[in-house]
Amino acid sequence: MISIYQQAMGTDFGRLQPELREYFGMHAGSGVSGHGRGVFDVAGCPAWFARPAFRLTTLENAFFPEYNSDVPFTISNYPHVDPFGRSALTARRELDFGTALRVFEDTTSLQDGVLTDYVGRHRRMATLLTCTATDEGHIRMVSSRTRVFAGLRLPLPDALGALAYVEQWWDDDAGAFRIRTRVVHRQLGTLLVYAGLFEYATQEFDGVLPSSAEPRRWEQRV
């Protein structure tokens, strides 16, 4: 068995830095989960006009309205099989803004060689996730084609949706991972950012999600 990222990326997966191949190489049968701790140099919503809407999404553990520097955070990654039999990875991030502890959670599932990322506590928003290796061996991920499942499957037109850009790499000098993320709306600009450094290690995992990482509902539609 190989990870969902290796399946989706094919031979491009081998171009990643060795540390990234280990990070993204966990799969449902590997018997381990991954846990990291670090500090974001900057995190949150730089667009003041979007903060009221993002304040509502905190109930869904999707986005957050704060914007600050030096934000401590943790991340836990759990490879598993979702209730529909798809290989998946569920991630839970906690960001400590001092005045509030925010959670951002999602599940990435693989179906027919395509990655779909389901975001939020009820997994009501889904995006197509495309992963590539850069010339330096970093992993670059782009989330596009956003759909919202509110009873119906509602695709958002490109003009209304936003794109998420993630780049992650191993920093030899720091002995840790670096990550840089931007959510950009075509008309409104950058709506969410987080970038920083974190240490990461694996531990034994039986493939059963802990209650803290279990979503309120699962979504099968893509």
Side-chain angles (χ1 to χ4, degrees), residues 34-40 43-44 58 61-64 66 70-78 90-98 100-106 121 179 194 197-198 210-214:
H35 304 270
R37 181 179 299 272
V39 176
F40 286 132
T58 60
N61 291 347
F63 302 107
F64 30 88
E66 290 80 12
D70 299 324
V71 178
F73 74 97
T74 62
I75 181 169
S76 294
N77 291 322
Y78 302 99
T90 288
R92 178 183 173 88
R93 307 158 192 83
E94 293 187 354
L95 293 82
D96 186 357
F97 285 97
L101 183 68
R102 298 302 188 191
V103 176
F104 178 57
E105 59 179 307
D106 67 323
R121 157 184 314 197
I179 188 169
Y194 56 85
L197 183 77
F198 66 101
S211 58
S212 60
E214 186 85 19

mmCIF file of all heavy atoms in Angstrom, residues 34-40 43-44 58 61-64 66 70-78 90-98 100-106 121 179 194 197-198 210-214:
data_model
loop_
_atom_site.group_PDB
_atom_site.id
_atom_site.type_symbol
_atom_site.label_atom_id
_atom_site.label_comp_id
_atom_site.label_asym_id
_atom_site.label_seq_id
_atom_site.Cartn_x
_atom_site.Cartn_y
_atom_site.Cartn_z
ATOM 1 N N GLY A 34 1.129 11.267 12.268
ATOM 2 C CA GLY A 34 2.153 12.306 12.364
ATOM 3 C C GLY A 34 1.688 13.477 13.202
ATOM 4 O O GLY A 34 0.516 13.878 13.128
ATOM 5 N N HIS A 35 2.629 14.034 14.012
ATOM 6 C CA HIS A 35 2.258 15.118 14.922
ATOM 7 C C HIS A 35 3.362 16.160 14.940
ATOM 8 O O HIS A 35 4.543 15.827 15.107
ATOM 9 C CB HIS A 35 2.007 14.573 16.323
ATOM 10 C CG HIS A 35 0.969 13.486 16.348
ATOM 11 N ND1 HIS A 35 -0.372 13.756 16.516
ATOM 12 C CD2 HIS A 35 1.085 12.143 16.154
ATOM 13 C CE1 HIS A 35 -1.048 12.615 16.458
ATOM 14 N NE2 HIS A 35 -0.190 11.622 16.241
ATOM 15 N N GLY A 36 2.958 17.424 14.741
ATOM 16 C CA GLY A 36 3.928 18.500 14.676
ATOM 17 C C GLY A 36 3.574 19.655 15.595
ATOM 18 O O GLY A 36 2.420 19.817 15.998
ATOM 19 N N ARG A 37 4.604 20.448 15.891
ATOM 20 C CA ARG A 37 4.421 21.623 16.737
ATOM 21 C C ARG A 37 5.378 22.704 16.250
ATOM 22 O O ARG A 37 6.548 22.412 15.981
ATOM 23 C CB ARG A 37 4.703 21.279 18.194
ATOM 24 C CG ARG A 37 4.520 22.442 19.170
ATOM 25 C CD ARG A 37 4.794 21.988 20.589
ATOM 26 N NE ARG A 37 3.870 20.939 20.986
ATOM 27 C CZ ARG A 37 2.673 21.145 21.527
ATOM 28 N NH1 ARG A 37 2.264 22.395 21.727
ATOM 29 N NH2 ARG A 37 1.901 20.135 21.871
ATOM 30 N N GLY A 38 4.877 23.934 16.115
ATOM 31 C CA GLY A 38 5.738 25.007 15.648
ATOM 32 C C GLY A 38 5.122 26.364 15.859
ATOM 33 O O GLY A 38 4.183 26.534 16.656
ATOM 34 N N VAL A 39 5.624 27.340 15.121
ATOM 35 C CA VAL A 39 5.148 28.720 15.221
ATOM 36 C C VAL A 39 4.990 29.292 13.815
ATOM 37 O O VAL A 39 5.900 29.171 12.980
ATOM 38 C CB VAL A 39 6.131 29.600 16.025
ATOM 39 C CG1 VAL A 39 5.667 31.053 16.029
ATOM 40 C CG2 VAL A 39 6.267 29.089 17.453
ATOM 41 N N PHE A 40 3.837 29.886 13.559
ATOM 42 C CA PHE A 40 3.640 30.606 12.314
ATOM 43 C C PHE A 40 4.190 32.020 12.464
ATOM 44 O O PHE A 40 3.842 32.736 13.406
ATOM 45 C CB PHE A 40 2.159 30.686 11.945
ATOM 46 C CG PHE A 40 1.570 29.397 11.444
ATOM 47 C CD1 PHE A 40 0.367 28.919 11.946
ATOM 48 C CD2 PHE A 40 2.210 28.664 10.460
ATOM 49 C CE1 PHE A 40 -0.183 27.742 11.481
ATOM 50 C CE2 PHE A 40 1.670 27.481 9.985
ATOM 51 C CZ PHE A 40 0.472 27.016 10.491
ATOM 52 N N ALA A 43 -0.170 34.481 10.611
ATOM 53 C CA ALA A 43 -1.313 33.602 10.381
ATOM 54 C C ALA A 43 -2.602 34.384 10.514
ATOM 55 O O ALA A 43 -2.712 35.284 11.352
ATOM 56 C CB ALA A 43 -1.311 32.434 11.373
ATOM 57 N N GLY A 44 -3.568 34.050 9.664
ATOM 58 C CA GLY A 44 -4.889 34.632 9.785
ATOM 59 C C GLY A 44 -5.370 35.339 8.542
ATOM 60 O O GLY A 44 -4.878 35.108 7.430
ATOM 61 N N THR A 58 -15.691 29.956 11.997
ATOM 62 C CA THR A 58 -14.995 29.313 13.115
ATOM 63 C C THR A 58 -15.851 28.216 13.731
ATOM 64 O O THR A 58 -15.314 27.250 14.294
ATOM 65 C CB THR A 58 -14.623 30.339 14.197
ATOM 66 O OG1 THR A 58 -15.806 30.963 14.702
ATOM 67 C CG2 THR A 58 -13.692 31.414 13.629
ATOM 68 N N ASN A 61 -14.907 25.079 12.078
ATOM 69 C CA ASN A 61 -13.480 24.707 12.099
ATOM 70 C C ASN A 61 -12.891 24.754 10.688
ATOM 71 O O ASN A 61 -12.200 23.827 10.250
ATOM 72 C CB ASN A 61 -13.273 23.319 12.702
ATOM 73 C CG ASN A 61 -13.573 23.284 14.189
ATOM 74 O OD1 ASN A 61 -13.705 24.324 14.823
ATOM 75 N ND2 ASN A 61 -13.694 22.094 14.745
ATOM 76 N N ALA A 62 -13.194 25.853 9.993
ATOM 77 C CA ALA A 62 -12.744 25.981 8.613
ATOM 78 C C ALA A 62 -11.733 27.115 8.452
ATOM 79 O O ALA A 62 -10.603 26.888 8.034
ATOM 80 C CB ALA A 62 -13.935 26.193 7.680
ATOM 81 N N PHE A 63 -12.138 28.350 8.777
ATOM 82 C CA PHE A 63 -11.239 29.497 8.663
ATOM 83 C C PHE A 63 -11.285 30.287 9.967
ATOM 84 O O PHE A 63 -12.027 29.939 10.885
ATOM 85 C CB PHE A 63 -11.635 30.367 7.467
ATOM 86 C CG PHE A 63 -11.632 29.613 6.175
ATOM 87 C CD1 PHE A 63 -12.827 29.270 5.554
ATOM 88 C CD2 PHE A 63 -10.445 29.230 5.579
ATOM 89 C CE1 PHE A 63 -12.828 28.561 4.364
ATOM 90 C CE2 PHE A 63 -10.431 28.525 4.385
ATOM 91 C CZ PHE A 63 -11.625 28.188 3.777
ATOM 92 N N PHE A 64 -10.510 31.362 10.050
ATOM 93 C CA PHE A 64 -10.448 32.115 11.297
ATOM 94 C C PHE A 64 -10.226 33.587 10.983
ATOM 95 O O PHE A 64 -9.543 33.943 10.041
ATOM 96 C CB PHE A 64 -9.343 31.579 12.206
ATOM 97 C CG PHE A 64 -8.171 30.978 11.479
ATOM 98 C CD1 PHE A 64 -7.104 31.760 11.073
ATOM 99 C CD2 PHE A 64 -8.137 29.629 11.191
ATOM 100 C CE1 PHE A 64 -6.032 31.229 10.400
ATOM 101 C CE2 PHE A 64 -7.063 29.067 10.506
ATOM 102 C CZ PHE A 64 -6.004 29.870 10.110
ATOM 103 N N GLU A 66 -8.870 36.055 12.976
ATOM 104 C CA GLU A 66 -7.724 36.738 13.575
ATOM 105 C C GLU A 66 -6.600 36.923 12.554
ATOM 106 O O GLU A 66 -6.537 36.232 11.533
ATOM 107 C CB GLU A 66 -7.196 35.942 14.771
ATOM 108 C CG GLU A 66 -8.107 35.935 15.977
ATOM 109 C CD GLU A 66 -9.243 34.951 15.882
ATOM 110 O OE1 GLU A 66 -9.223 34.089 14.969
ATOM 111 O OE2 GLU A 66 -10.169 35.021 16.698
ATOM 112 N N ASP A 70 3.761 35.381 15.068
ATOM 113 C CA ASP A 70 4.258 34.494 16.125
ATOM 114 C C ASP A 70 3.113 33.716 16.774
ATOM 115 O O ASP A 70 2.865 33.809 17.990
ATOM 116 C CB ASP A 70 5.026 35.288 17.186
ATOM 117 C CG ASP A 70 6.249 35.990 16.607
ATOM 118 O OD1 ASP A 70 6.894 35.406 15.707
ATOM 119 O OD2 ASP A 70 6.541 37.113 17.039
ATOM 120 N N VAL A 71 2.416 32.932 15.950
ATOM 121 C CA VAL A 71 1.252 32.165 16.403
ATOM 122 C C VAL A 71 1.648 30.702 16.612
ATOM 123 O O VAL A 71 1.950 29.997 15.638
ATOM 124 C CB VAL A 71 0.106 32.254 15.379
ATOM 125 C CG1 VAL A 71 -1.087 31.421 15.832
ATOM 126 C CG2 VAL A 71 -0.301 33.708 15.163
ATOM 127 N N PRO A 72 1.677 30.205 17.841
ATOM 128 C CA PRO A 72 1.981 28.788 18.065
ATOM 129 C C PRO A 72 0.883 27.906 17.471
ATOM 130 O O PRO A 72 -0.303 28.266 17.485
ATOM 131 C CB PRO A 72 2.016 28.662 19.599
ATOM 132 C CG PRO A 72 2.180 30.067 20.101
ATOM 133 C CD PRO A 72 1.482 30.936 19.104
ATOM 134 N N PHE A 73 1.276 26.744 16.963
ATOM 135 C CA PHE A 73 0.280 25.839 16.398
ATOM 136 C C PHE A 73 0.729 24.393 16.541
ATOM 137 O O PHE A 73 1.918 24.096 16.737
ATOM 138 C CB PHE A 73 0.029 26.157 14.920
ATOM 139 C CG PHE A 73 1.125 25.733 13.981
ATOM 140 C CD1 PHE A 73 1.050 24.525 13.292
ATOM 141 C CD2 PHE A 73 2.248 26.537 13.791
ATOM 142 C CE1 PHE A 73 2.064 24.137 12.428
ATOM 143 C CE2 PHE A 73 3.263 26.154 12.931
ATOM 144 C CZ PHE A 73 3.172 24.947 12.243
ATOM 145 N N THR A 74 -0.238 23.491 16.430
ATOM 146 C CA THR A 74 0.034 22.061 16.366
ATOM 147 C C THR A 74 -0.694 21.489 15.157
ATOM 148 O O THR A 74 -1.695 22.058 14.691
ATOM 149 C CB THR A 74 -0.435 21.318 17.626
ATOM 150 O OG1 THR A 74 -1.859 21.459 17.762
ATOM 151 C CG2 THR A 74 0.258 21.858 18.876
ATOM 152 N N ILE A 75 -0.199 20.375 14.660
ATOM 153 C CA ILE A 75 -0.877 19.664 13.575
ATOM 154 C C ILE A 75 -0.794 18.170 13.837
ATOM 155 O O ILE A 75 0.243 17.674 14.301
ATOM 156 C CB ILE A 75 -0.273 20.000 12.192
ATOM 157 C CG1 ILE A 75 -1.034 19.246 11.087
ATOM 158 C CG2 ILE A 75 1.224 19.723 12.142
ATOM 159 C CD1 ILE A 75 -0.701 19.684 9.687
ATOM 160 N N SER A 76 -1.886 17.467 13.569
ATOM 161 C CA SER A 76 -1.921 16.007 13.663
ATOM 162 C C SER A 76 -2.473 15.455 12.359
ATOM 163 O O SER A 76 -3.518 15.919 11.880
ATOM 164 C CB SER A 76 -2.793 15.554 14.835
ATOM 165 O OG SER A 76 -2.227 15.944 16.071
ATOM 166 N N ASN A 77 -1.778 14.482 11.783
ATOM 167 C CA ASN A 77 -2.179 13.837 10.527
ATOM 168 C C ASN A 77 -2.472 12.362 10.777
ATOM 169 O O ASN A 77 -1.625 11.641 11.328
ATOM 170 C CB ASN A 77 -1.067 13.956 9.480
ATOM 171 C CG ASN A 77 -0.865 15.374 8.994
ATOM 172 O OD1 ASN A 77 -1.822 16.115 8.818
ATOM 173 N ND2 ASN A 77 0.380 15.763 8.766
ATOM 174 N N TYR A 78 -3.651 11.914 10.353
ATOM 175 C CA TYR A 78 -4.070 10.535 10.579
ATOM 176 C C TYR A 78 -4.423 9.868 9.250
ATOM 177 O O TYR A 78 -5.460 10.181 8.653
ATOM 178 C CB TYR A 78 -5.291 10.495 11.493
ATOM 179 C CG TYR A 78 -5.087 11.135 12.848
ATOM 180 C CD1 TYR A 78 -5.531 12.434 13.096
ATOM 181 C CD2 TYR A 78 -4.458 10.446 13.878
ATOM 182 C CE1 TYR A 78 -5.361 13.025 14.338
ATOM 183 C CE2 TYR A 78 -4.272 11.026 15.127
ATOM 184 C CZ TYR A 78 -4.723 12.317 15.346
ATOM 185 O OH TYR A 78 -4.555 12.906 16.580
ATOM 186 N N THR A 90 -6.785 12.516 7.389
ATOM 187 C CA THR A 90 -7.483 13.559 8.132
ATOM 188 C C THR A 90 -6.467 14.354 8.933
ATOM 189 O O THR A 90 -5.605 13.787 9.608
ATOM 190 C CB THR A 90 -8.542 12.948 9.069
ATOM 191 O OG1 THR A 90 -9.625 12.463 8.274
ATOM 192 C CG2 THR A 90 -9.079 13.983 10.037
ATOM 193 N N ALA A 91 -6.560 15.683 8.838
ATOM 194 C CA ALA A 91 -5.634 16.581 9.535
ATOM 195 C C ALA A 91 -6.406 17.512 10.458
ATOM 196 O O ALA A 91 -7.498 17.985 10.117
ATOM 197 C CB ALA A 91 -4.822 17.398 8.535
ATOM 198 N N ARG A 92 -5.822 17.757 11.616
ATOM 199 C CA ARG A 92 -6.396 18.718 12.573
ATOM 200 C C ARG A 92 -5.291 19.665 13.020
ATOM 201 O O ARG A 92 -4.241 19.230 13.489
ATOM 202 C CB ARG A 92 -6.976 17.985 13.788
ATOM 203 C CG ARG A 92 -7.546 18.928 14.853
ATOM 204 C CD ARG A 92 -8.035 18.154 16.059
ATOM 205 N NE ARG A 92 -8.426 19.033 17.156
ATOM 206 C CZ ARG A 92 -9.626 19.557 17.322
ATOM 207 N NH1 ARG A 92 -10.585 19.284 16.458
ATOM 208 N NH2 ARG A 92 -9.892 20.341 18.354
ATOM 209 N N ARG A 93 -5.542 20.964 12.836
ATOM 210 C CA ARG A 93 -4.572 21.989 13.231
ATOM 211 C C ARG A 93 -5.203 22.868 14.306
ATOM 212 O O ARG A 93 -6.372 23.230 14.197
ATOM 213 C CB ARG A 93 -4.184 22.857 12.032
ATOM 214 C CG ARG A 93 -3.699 22.072 10.824
ATOM 215 C CD ARG A 93 -3.840 22.865 9.549
ATOM 216 N NE ARG A 93 -3.657 22.045 8.365
ATOM 217 C CZ ARG A 93 -4.603 21.305 7.817
ATOM 218 N NH1 ARG A 93 -5.830 21.290 8.351
ATOM 219 N NH2 ARG A 93 -4.350 20.585 6.738
ATOM 220 N N GLU A 94 -4.422 23.217 15.305
ATOM 221 C CA GLU A 94 -4.868 24.145 16.346
ATOM 222 C C GLU A 94 -3.910 25.330 16.366
ATOM 223 O O GLU A 94 -2.696 25.148 16.462
ATOM 224 C CB GLU A 94 -4.908 23.468 17.712
ATOM 225 C CG GLU A 94 -5.958 22.380 17.814
ATOM 226 C CD GLU A 94 -6.091 21.830 19.222
ATOM 227 O OE1 GLU A 94 -5.281 22.227 20.102
ATOM 228 O OE2 GLU A 94 -6.992 21.005 19.453
ATOM 229 N N LEU A 95 -4.459 26.533 16.255
ATOM 230 C CA LEU A 95 -3.671 27.758 16.257
ATOM 231 C C LEU A 95 -4.030 28.584 17.484
ATOM 232 O O LEU A 95 -5.216 28.860 17.724
ATOM 233 C CB LEU A 95 -3.941 28.590 14.995
ATOM 234 C CG LEU A 95 -3.495 28.012 13.646
ATOM 235 C CD1 LEU A 95 -4.525 27.014 13.116
ATOM 236 C CD2 LEU A 95 -3.297 29.123 12.629
ATOM 237 N N ASP A 96 -3.028 28.970 18.247
ATOM 238 C CA ASP A 96 -3.241 29.717 19.474
ATOM 239 C C ASP A 96 -2.952 31.198 19.235
ATOM 240 O O ASP A 96 -1.794 31.622 19.188
ATOM 241 C CB ASP A 96 -2.336 29.165 20.577
ATOM 242 C CG ASP A 96 -2.617 29.807 21.928
ATOM 243 O OD1 ASP A 96 -3.476 30.711 21.999
ATOM 244 O OD2 ASP A 96 -1.982 29.384 22.917
ATOM 245 N N PHE A 97 -4.036 31.981 19.066
ATOM 246 C CA PHE A 97 -3.894 33.414 18.823
ATOM 247 C C PHE A 97 -3.810 34.215 20.126
ATOM 248 O O PHE A 97 -3.788 35.439 20.091
ATOM 249 C CB PHE A 97 -5.054 33.921 17.982
ATOM 250 C CG PHE A 97 -4.959 33.539 16.532
ATOM 251 C CD1 PHE A 97 -5.638 32.427 16.051
ATOM 252 C CD2 PHE A 97 -4.187 34.279 15.653
ATOM 253 C CE1 PHE A 97 -5.555 32.068 14.714
ATOM 254 C CE2 PHE A 97 -4.100 33.929 14.310
ATOM 255 C CZ PHE A 97 -4.777 32.812 13.841
ATOM 256 N N GLY A 98 -3.787 33.510 21.251
ATOM 257 C CA GLY A 98 -3.752 34.205 22.532
ATOM 258 C C GLY A 98 -5.145 34.509 23.034
ATOM 259 O O GLY A 98 -5.537 34.077 24.118
ATOM 260 N N ALA A 100 -7.824 33.545 21.349
ATOM 261 C CA ALA A 100 -8.697 32.466 20.882
ATOM 262 C C ALA A 100 -7.850 31.304 20.376
ATOM 263 O O ALA A 100 -6.777 31.502 19.795
ATOM 264 C CB ALA A 100 -9.625 32.964 19.777
ATOM 265 N N LEU A 101 -8.341 30.088 20.602
ATOM 266 C CA LEU A 101 -7.734 28.887 20.047
ATOM 267 C C LEU A 101 -8.588 28.452 18.873
ATOM 268 O O LEU A 101 -9.761 28.104 19.048
ATOM 269 C CB LEU A 101 -7.664 27.784 21.098
ATOM 270 C CG LEU A 101 -6.986 26.479 20.666
ATOM 271 C CD1 LEU A 101 -5.492 26.700 20.434
ATOM 272 C CD2 LEU A 101 -7.199 25.378 21.701
ATOM 273 N N ARG A 102 -8.031 28.489 17.671
ATOM 274 C CA ARG A 102 -8.791 28.159 16.469
ATOM 275 C C ARG A 102 -8.385 26.802 15.925
ATOM 276 O O ARG A 102 -7.209 26.418 15.998
ATOM 277 C CB ARG A 102 -8.565 29.220 15.393
ATOM 278 C CG ARG A 102 -9.016 30.613 15.781
ATOM 279 C CD ARG A 102 -10.483 30.664 16.147
ATOM 280 N NE ARG A 102 -10.946 32.042 16.341
ATOM 281 C CZ ARG A 102 -12.116 32.351 16.857
ATOM 282 N NH1 ARG A 102 -12.960 31.399 17.227
ATOM 283 N NH2 ARG A 102 -12.463 33.628 17.018
ATOM 284 N N VAL A 103 -9.369 26.092 15.378
ATOM 285 C CA VAL A 103 -9.150 24.765 14.797
ATOM 286 C C VAL A 103 -9.437 24.828 13.301
ATOM 287 O O VAL A 103 -10.419 25.441 12.874
ATOM 288 C CB VAL A 103 -10.055 23.708 15.466
ATOM 289 C CG1 VAL A 103 -9.898 22.360 14.785
ATOM 290 C CG2 VAL A 103 -9.739 23.600 16.957
ATOM 291 N N PHE A 104 -8.563 24.207 12.533
ATOM 292 C CA PHE A 104 -8.793 24.051 11.097
ATOM 293 C C PHE A 104 -8.627 22.569 10.782
ATOM 294 O O PHE A 104 -7.568 21.994 11.021
ATOM 295 C CB PHE A 104 -7.798 24.891 10.301
ATOM 296 C CG PHE A 104 -7.927 24.746 8.811
ATOM 297 C CD1 PHE A 104 -9.124 25.021 8.173
ATOM 298 C CD2 PHE A 104 -6.854 24.332 8.045
ATOM 299 C CE1 PHE A 104 -9.247 24.886 6.792
ATOM 300 C CE2 PHE A 104 -6.969 24.189 6.668
ATOM 301 C CZ PHE A 104 -8.162 24.470 6.041
ATOM 302 N N GLU A 105 -9.686 21.939 10.272
ATOM 303 C CA GLU A 105 -9.645 20.492 10.038
ATOM 304 C C GLU A 105 -10.150 20.149 8.648
ATOM 305 O O GLU A 105 -10.989 20.851 8.080
ATOM 306 C CB GLU A 105 -10.454 19.753 11.101
ATOM 307 C CG GLU A 105 -11.919 20.143 11.183
ATOM 308 C CD GLU A 105 -12.668 19.356 12.248
ATOM 309 O OE1 GLU A 105 -12.593 18.105 12.215
ATOM 310 O OE2 GLU A 105 -13.317 19.982 13.099
ATOM 311 N N ASP A 106 -9.625 19.056 8.117
ATOM 312 C CA ASP A 106 -10.035 18.605 6.798
ATOM 313 C C ASP A 106 -9.684 17.136 6.617
ATOM 314 O O ASP A 106 -8.908 16.569 7.381
ATOM 315 C CB ASP A 106 -9.384 19.453 5.700
ATOM 316 C CG ASP A 106 -7.874 19.256 5.643
ATOM 317 O OD1 ASP A 106 -7.256 19.097 6.712
ATOM 318 O OD2 ASP A 106 -7.307 19.256 4.533
ATOM 319 N N ARG A 121 -15.772 21.030 9.989
ATOM 320 C CA ARG A 121 -16.273 20.017 10.922
ATOM 321 C C ARG A 121 -17.327 19.114 10.297
ATOM 322 O O ARG A 121 -17.406 17.924 10.587
ATOM 323 C CB ARG A 121 -16.825 20.761 12.140
ATOM 324 C CG ARG A 121 -17.806 20.066 12.951
ATOM 325 C CD ARG A 121 -18.357 20.919 14.074
ATOM 326 N NE ARG A 121 -17.335 21.633 14.822
ATOM 327 C CZ ARG A 121 -17.575 22.156 16.035
ATOM 328 N NH1 ARG A 121 -18.764 22.032 16.583
ATOM 329 N NH2 ARG A 121 -16.638 22.817 16.666
ATOM 330 N N ILE A 179 6.329 25.739 5.959
ATOM 331 C CA ILE A 179 5.114 25.725 5.156
ATOM 332 C C ILE A 179 4.676 27.151 4.893
ATOM 333 O O ILE A 179 4.864 28.041 5.736
ATOM 334 C CB ILE A 179 3.986 24.926 5.857
ATOM 335 C CG1 ILE A 179 2.795 24.748 4.911
ATOM 336 C CG2 ILE A 179 3.586 25.570 7.172
ATOM 337 C CD1 ILE A 179 1.764 23.750 5.425
ATOM 338 N N TYR A 194 -0.956 31.610 6.189
ATOM 339 C CA TYR A 194 -0.163 31.159 7.335
ATOM 340 C C TYR A 194 1.153 30.614 6.801
ATOM 341 O O TYR A 194 1.211 29.957 5.767
ATOM 342 C CB TYR A 194 -0.898 30.161 8.228
ATOM 343 C CG TYR A 194 -1.444 28.908 7.598
ATOM 344 C CD1 TYR A 194 -0.668 27.769 7.416
ATOM 345 C CD2 TYR A 194 -2.791 28.849 7.225
ATOM 346 C CE1 TYR A 194 -1.202 26.603 6.877
ATOM 347 C CE2 TYR A 194 -3.332 27.694 6.680
ATOM 348 C CZ TYR A 194 -2.534 26.566 6.518
ATOM 349 O OH TYR A 194 -3.069 25.432 5.975
ATOM 350 N N LEU A 197 7.357 27.543 10.664
ATOM 351 C CA LEU A 197 8.302 26.452 10.844
ATOM 352 C C LEU A 197 7.738 25.490 11.886
ATOM 353 O O LEU A 197 7.157 25.917 12.881
ATOM 354 C CB LEU A 197 9.635 27.020 11.333
ATOM 355 C CG LEU A 197 10.825 26.084 11.524
ATOM 356 C CD1 LEU A 197 11.448 25.747 10.178
ATOM 357 C CD2 LEU A 197 11.863 26.735 12.437
ATOM 358 N N PHE A 198 7.919 24.167 11.657
ATOM 359 C CA PHE A 198 7.445 23.223 12.670
ATOM 360 C C PHE A 198 8.271 21.941 12.669
ATOM 361 O O PHE A 198 8.793 21.501 11.651
ATOM 362 C CB PHE A 198 5.959 22.894 12.476
ATOM 363 C CG PHE A 198 5.626 22.147 11.205
ATOM 364 C CD1 PHE A 198 5.408 20.771 11.207
ATOM 365 C CD2 PHE A 198 5.488 22.822 10.000
ATOM 366 C CE1 PHE A 198 5.081 20.088 10.044
ATOM 367 C CE2 PHE A 198 5.154 22.154 8.831
ATOM 368 C CZ PHE A 198 4.955 20.777 8.856
ATOM 369 N N PRO A 210 -9.134 9.350 16.387
ATOM 370 C CA PRO A 210 -9.555 9.754 17.735
ATOM 371 C C PRO A 210 -10.768 10.670 17.649
ATOM 372 O O PRO A 210 -11.022 11.286 16.606
ATOM 373 C CB PRO A 210 -8.328 10.486 18.282
ATOM 374 C CG PRO A 210 -7.606 10.967 17.068
ATOM 375 C CD PRO A 210 -7.840 9.941 16.013
ATOM 376 N N SER A 211 -11.521 10.759 18.737
ATOM 377 C CA SER A 211 -12.748 11.557 18.719
ATOM 378 C C SER A 211 -12.482 13.015 18.366
ATOM 379 O O SER A 211 -13.303 13.672 17.728
ATOM 380 C CB SER A 211 -13.451 11.462 20.077
ATOM 381 O OG SER A 211 -12.588 11.902 21.119
ATOM 382 N N SER A 212 -11.309 13.534 18.738
ATOM 383 C CA SER A 212 -10.990 14.935 18.459
ATOM 384 C C SER A 212 -10.841 15.203 16.965
ATOM 385 O O SER A 212 -10.997 16.341 16.517
ATOM 386 C CB SER A 212 -9.709 15.341 19.181
ATOM 387 O OG SER A 212 -8.615 14.542 18.745
ATOM 388 N N ALA A 213 -10.532 14.162 16.180
ATOM 389 C CA ALA A 213 -10.328 14.333 14.741
ATOM 390 C C ALA A 213 -11.507 13.829 13.912
ATOM 391 O O ALA A 213 -11.514 13.994 12.689
ATOM 392 C CB ALA A 213 -9.056 13.596 14.308
ATOM 393 N N GLU A 214 -12.494 13.235 14.566
ATOM 394 C CA GLU A 214 -13.646 12.691 13.862
ATOM 395 C C GLU A 214 -14.577 13.822 13.446
ATOM 396 O O GLU A 214 -15.020 14.621 14.278
ATOM 397 C CB GLU A 214 -14.401 11.718 14.776
ATOM 398 C CG GLU A 214 -15.527 10.974 14.103
ATOM 399 C CD GLU A 214 -15.062 9.718 13.386
ATOM 400 O OE1 GLU A 214 -13.963 9.229 13.683
ATOM 401 O OE2 GLU A 214 -15.818 9.232 12.522
#
